[in-house]
Amino acid sequence: MEIRVLKDRCTGCGLCLTVCPFAAMELSNGSIEINEACRLCRLCLPACPEDALYFAGAEQGQWNREAFQGVMVVGEMLQGALHPVTLELMGKGRELADQLGQELHVVLVGCNSGQYGQHVLQFGADAVWIADAPELEYFRVEPYANAVEYAVNKVQPNILLLAATNTGRSLGPRLAVRFRTGLTADCTYLHVKANGDLVQIRPAFGGNVMAQIITPRHRPQMATVRYKMMEPAAAQRRPGARIERIPLADAQLRSGITVHSVKTRQQQPSISEAEVVVAVGRGLKAQKDMQLAYDLAELLNGQVGVTRPLVEMGWADHTQQIGLSGRSIRPKLLICFGISGAVQFNAGAASSGWIVAINEDPEAAVFQMAHYGLVGDLYEIVPDVIQGLRERRAQHAVF
Amino acid sequence: MVHIVVCIKQVPESRDVEMDPVTGSLLREGAASVMNPFDLYGLEAAIALKEHHGGTVTVITMGPPQAEDVIREAYMMGADRGIMLSDREFAGADTLATSYTLSQGIRRLGDVDLIICGLQTTDGDTAQVGPGIAELLGLPHEAAVQTVHKVDEAGLWVQRDMGDMVMELSLKLPCLITVTRQVNQPRLLSFRRKMATKDWPVEVWNRADISADGPDYFGLDGSPTQVERMFPPEPHDQHERWEGTSRDLSERLQKWLLDEKFVEQGAAPWKSES
Ligand SMILES: Cc1cc2nc3c(=O)[nH]c(=O)nc-3n(C[C@H](O)[C@H](O)[C@H](O)COP(=O)(O)OP(=O)(O)OC[C@H]3O[C@@H](n4cnc5c(N)ncnc54)[C@H](O)[C@@H]3O)c2cc1C
Ligand SMILES: Nc1ncnc2c1ncn2[C@@H]1O[C@H](COP(=O)(O)O)[C@@H](O)[C@H]1O
């Protein structure tokens, strides 16, 4: 571990000399050199106006794995409430922490995030780090990054996980640059090796291939995880579970971004949240046949999802698209009909609890994913199911 | 007058790559390359802003010599200047090393008001390079912008879709944005501009041109992540095939849905047995 000087940036202004308590910095040839007196206190880092100094926490060879302990996950708030992806990150985080025999830390940044501290501790966190300030009401990347950076510097975690949401995808790369470490996007599978290395698996080339990635020489090992890919954390209270505060000075709360207005959209029922999804594809012959999906979804109290071609034809909204370039879903039940089961579709659907597929082609790839594969004509099967379930419901209503 | 830099990347035209399950090698059909589709939207946004406010649009790409094609394409759309960051030492870069290389190239350009990236590439597919550049340059950024309104004293005005919220924001200049496909409709390439720009130079910068820090920030050496292996997605094994008449299949599915409590259980006994 050492403090490094980026020569591309250093202007030799000497401001860092004035803050170093150990006289470890010297000016030579118009740029700064750091000598053996350095105690790694890092006071010089914020003093540099050019960001030319950085803490090389984990460079080749000369770092100590043991110095990085624990798993940290960055939770998310959604309109003042806890985003459910937080519990999914915690579920995975707890599992990895248990494998390592280390602690799970959760960071929560937002306005009034403090009220969720105890809640988070009910789901297996050893510590929750809270940054709570009015300036943090809406996601603005600089203060959010500052808050997470504070917690990371305190804990020095081995692993740092974020959600692959709009927020996490903005925040993750900035933090990875700050720590000069690797960040693997959209992981679908994570586990740790005995030596603490994180094995990160993600789809590559549009899901046709899976890539296994490691970050062997840098810490923290960072990854983003898609919403609805991991099992949510179970309720458990850890002994010694604690709440920590993240203090942020005014300068750290400042942002170059001003939020002028926010329109909350009517929360449309979303396929990501639904317990039951009825998904349809190009096996439908006409747009009006979408009604079959809506009727079945209504009977099962579910939502309708589609494959990409249906979105392209304008038969459904892009928020209904399941798959690699659409949404990942994890309902208890997914019923697919008229879907071939391309890898790109399956990538977003395969984590569903039960998968039932109806397709007239016995060779369709969707049957490789389905628990129950019905070989037949959707136009015969689905209307019959709808009619049968309607009759049951009518009988039920009588009693 | 604004100086806008657009980061553009050359990507394989098709993502239809398959893997040989035995040898583990990638079977890529054809080698046709195009500009990353998202970057076309970024370039269109930049040219539209230039047309309103005056100024210049510079495109920058990191890639092998044949990446010059995407710069020529950008000239045909309306870019004024093109920079190619090309050096053997840049090869094998992950998102950190790519962000670093591009940020050093942009530093060398000097005064830049706005940097635009595509939301993501179709090959790397990470959406990480844009925010990474912003951090390296110490600029504010907004990712996944879906409308670019204007530039005024307050900065750049944009709209961002957060799924459940739509936000109107302004960013102080200089800043960086990444754009989605909703942001505009990229113009077609003009034959007239093709003729007019065919002799325009493309500046090529190598590592020594953009950095005094030595090779370990670039390419494979500057990349913390390592690909350990690639493998085909595994189909899972647990499945049951139901065959029979449509009527039978329908009955069986209804019964299963009731047994698993996905529909409210009626009071009458299930009929199929009788
Ligand atoms: C980079 C990339 C990203 C992509 N991302 C996505 C994504 O996110 N989501 C997505 O869905 N796609 C995505 N795709 C597209 C994907 O490759 C497939 O083209 C698409 O999923 C196919 O949709 P489908 O199953 O509806 O249509 P088809 O493949 O045409 O399948 C229709 C199926 O219906 C069956 N059928 C027809 N008539 C009947 C009937 N009467 N009864 C029963 N069965 C019938 C047929 O046997 C066939 O299997 C992506 C592609 C690429 C290259
Ligand atoms: N090699 C590159 N050269 C220029 N721009 C790039 C390069 N790689 C990524 N970018 C930019 O960063 C965006 C996001 O890329 P990615 O993080 O790979 O998904 C792209 O849309 C480009 O604008």
Side-chain angles (χ1 to χ4, degrees):
Chain A
M1 283 185 267
E2 61 181 4
I3 307 284
R4 289 212 180 166
V5 184
L6 282 171
K7 298 211 177 58
D8 286 335
R9 304 234 182 134
C10 180
T11 58
C13 71
L15 279 172
C16 53
L17 298 178
T18 63
V19 299
C20 178
F22 306 108
M25 319 197 84
E26 293 163 22
L27 199 53
S28 83
N29 297 329
S31 121
I32 291 291
E33 304 268 356
I34 296 173
N35 64 35
E36 317 72 63
C38 175
R39 305 276 176 84
L40 296 175
C41 74
R42 289 179 260 172
L43 281 174
C44 53
L45 301 189
C48 176
E50 304 296 331
D51 277 333
L53 298 171
Y54 76 96
F55 176 63
E59 294 284 323
Q60 275 93 316
Q62 48 175 331
W63 61 286
N64 172 13
R65 274 172 203 279
E66 304 305 313
F68 297 86
Q69 295 265 337
V71 178
M72 181 174 276
V73 306
V74 181
E76 267 186 47
M77 307 275 293
L78 182 74
Q79 297 185 21
L82 206 59
H83 191 302
V85 76
T86 308
L87 279 188
E88 294 181 12
L89 290 168
M90 288 175 63
K92 194 62 193 182
R94 185 70 259 164
E95 182 191 314
L96 298 173
D98 287 343
Q99 284 170 15
L100 291 162
Q102 296 173 2
E103 291 197 323
L104 171 66
H105 296 255
V106 179
V107 186
L108 266 193
V109 187
C111 176
N112 295 326
S113 53
Q115 58 182 315
Y116 292 102
Q118 284 301 337
H119 181 81
V120 165
L121 294 184
Q122 300 306 330
F123 289 90
D126 293 288
V128 54
W129 294 79
I130 290 185
D132 184 347
E135 291 88 343
L136 300 170
E137 180 173 7
Y138 299 112
F139 172 68
R140 288 182 301 168
V141 73
E142 313 99 304
Y144 269 60
N146 294 338
V148 181
E149 181 185 12
Y150 178 91
V152 170
N153 282 337
K154 284 280 176 188
V155 176
Q156 299 284 355
N158 182 27
I159 294 171
L160 178 62
L161 303 181
L162 297 101
T165 53
N166 281 343
T167 303
R169 286 180 184 201
S170 241
L171 201 50
R174 292 198 76 128
L175 291 165
V177 164
R178 272 188 209 190
F179 304 123
R180 292 291 194 286
T181 190
L183 171 61
T184 306
D186 286 341
C187 293
T188 53
Y189 182 79
L190 296 168
H191 74 220
V192 281
K193 297 186 185 175
N195 68 0
D197 279 358
L198 182 67
V199 176
Q200 307 153 65
I201 294 180
R202 70 172 304 239
F205 301 108
N208 295 296
V209 180
M210 306 301 285
Q212 177 170 326
I213 293 166
I214 53 167
T215 311
R217 299 185 314 265
H218 296 71
R219 295 293 184 269
Q221 306 169 82
M222 291 181 63
T224 64
V225 175
R226 272 191 156 202
Y227 182 31
K228 293 281 167 185
M229 276 294 186
M230 306 284 167
E231 201 76 50
Q236 61 161 308
R237 177 96 190 180
R238 305 278 297 177
R242 58 199 188 272
I243 295 182
E244 308 268 7
R245 298 269 155 194
I246 300 176
L248 289 174
D250 286 348
Q252 291 172 297
L253 287 166
R254 227 167 275 146
S255 168
I257 302 165
T258 311
V259 177
H260 298 283
S261 75
V262 177
K263 268 193 237 107
T264 24
R265 256 199 294 218
Q266 199 57 15
Q267 190 65 309
Q268 292 146 332
S270 134
I271 53 167
S272 316
E273 319 293 335
E275 300 225 315
V276 175
V277 174
V278 176
V280 283
R282 211 152 44 176
L284 290 186
K285 295 188 172 62
Q287 184 171 8
K288 68 169 171 41
D289 301 337
M290 291 288 298
Q291 197 56 43
L292 288 174
Y294 284 102
D295 286 348
L296 186 57
E298 195 256 327
L299 284 158
L300 300 173
N301 209 358
Q303 299 295 329
V304 173
V306 296
T307 61
R308 191 163 88 171
L310 268 55
V311 175
E312 282 164 357
M313 293 188 294
W315 291 10
D317 191 69
H318 72 95
T319 58
Q320 290 175 282
Q321 183 187 320
I322 298 167
L324 197 69
S325 52
R327 300 196 178 192
S328 301
I329 58 168
R330 204 190 163 86
K332 287 201 180 116
L333 169 64
L334 169 66
I335 300 186
C336 310
F337 50 90
I339 292 180
S340 60
V343 280
Q344 295 87 0
F345 173 82
N346 292 2
S351 309
S352 307
W354 286 111
I355 302 174
V356 176
I358 305 174
N359 195 308
E360 61 186 7
D361 172 9
E363 303 299 321
V366 74
F367 289 135
Q368 289 174 17
M369 169 177 78
H371 302 103
Y372 300 116
L374 284 63
V375 186
D377 183 352
L378 76 91
Y379 282 97
E380 290 177 11
I381 300 170
V382 178
D384 197 69
V385 172
I386 292 170
Q387 197 197 338
L389 293 178
R390 279 202 177 130
E391 281 167 13
R392 302 291 306 173
R393 189 164 69 175
Q395 279 170 5
H396 182 60
V398 172
F399 290 91
Chain B
M1 292 288 279
V2 283
H3 181 197
I4 306 173
V5 174
V6 187
C7 298
I8 59 176
K9 186 184 181 189
Q10 190 176 47
V11 297
E13 183 169 16
S14 156
R15 291 219 290 194
D16 289 340
V17 195
E18 272 189 56
M19 169 156 265
D20 184 328
V22 185
T23 65
S25 59
L26 292 180
L27 312 169
R28 271 199 163 178
E29 47 169 77
S33 305
V34 293
M35 192 185 311
N36 175 38
F38 284 92
D39 301 347
L40 289 170
Y41 295 84
L43 188 52
E44 175 63 39
I47 297 166
L49 280 172
K50 177 181 97 168
E51 285 168 351
H52 264 84
H53 300 280
T56 48
V57 173
T58 303
V59 290
I60 187 164
T61 189
M62 178 189 90
Q66 58 271 31
E68 182 181 331
D69 291 351
V70 292
I71 295 197
R72 298 246 155 251
E73 198 179 318
Y75 286 160
M76 289 181 232
M77 271 177 75
D80 303 293
R81 181 178 177 195
I83 312 287
M84 211 164 86
L85 305 176
S86 205
D87 193 315
R88 283 207 125 97
E89 285 173 6
F90 298 160
D94 71 358
T95 56
L96 183 74
T98 304
S99 302
Y100 192 79
T101 310
L102 289 167
S103 73
Q104 285 301 119
I106 295 168
R107 271 171 193 277
R108 176 161 174 194
L109 282 171
D111 285 332
V112 171
D113 301 297
L114 171 62
I115 300 159
I116 304 182
C117 289
L119 176 69
Q120 62 197 51
T121 49
T122 51
D123 60 345
D125 203 9
T126 73
Q128 288 177 181
V129 168
I133 295 171
E135 177 71 22
L136 283 158
L137 297 174
L139 305 179
H141 87 263
E142 215 33 86
V145 163
Q146 61 169 17
T147 310
V148 176
H149 297 296
K150 59 173 178 187
V151 174
D152 67 12
E153 317 74 57
L156 175 74
W157 291 70
V158 300
Q159 187 186 70
R160 179 175 178 185
D161 188 350
M162 297 282 280
D164 51 325
M165 303 188 264
V166 180
M167 302 173 105
E168 298 289 344
L169 308 152
S170 63
L171 292 93
K172 276 193 207 138
L173 301 182
C175 66
L176 181 147
I177 58 172
T178 76
V179 297
T180 69
R181 291 176 195 263
Q182 271 79 48
V183 77
N184 54 40
Q185 189 55 52
R187 68 195 61 196
L188 299 172
L189 303 182
S190 124
F191 183 72
R192 199 175 46 79
R193 278 213 40 112
K194 179 176 181 166
M195 289 296 119
T197 61
K198 72 180 192 318
D199 298 324
W200 285 18
V202 171
E203 291 161 74
V204 182
W205 294 351
N206 64 19
R207 201 259 299 156
D209 292 326
I210 59 169
S211 172
D213 274 318
D216 48 339
Y217 295 91
F218 301 93
L220 207 53
D221 289 348
S223 297
T225 59
Q226 275 179 15
V227 178
E228 262 193 328
R229 67 184 182 113
M230 304 272 241
F231 56 95
E234 294 141 27
H236 73 108
D237 39 12
Q238 183 194 6
H239 47 241
E240 210 176 287
R241 195 65 71 97
W242 294 0
E243 281 167 32
T245 67
S246 296
R247 195 74 248 294
D248 290 345
L249 293 177
S250 165
E251 287 285 334
R252 210 166 152 190
L253 181 56
Q254 289 176 60
K255 177 156 176 8
W256 184 82
L257 289 170
L258 285 155
D259 288 347
E260 294 289 326
K261 308 224 167 7
F262 285 112
V263 274
E264 282 158 40
Q265 187 77 46
W270 184 249
K271 290 184 287 194
S272 65
E273 250 82 354
S274 55

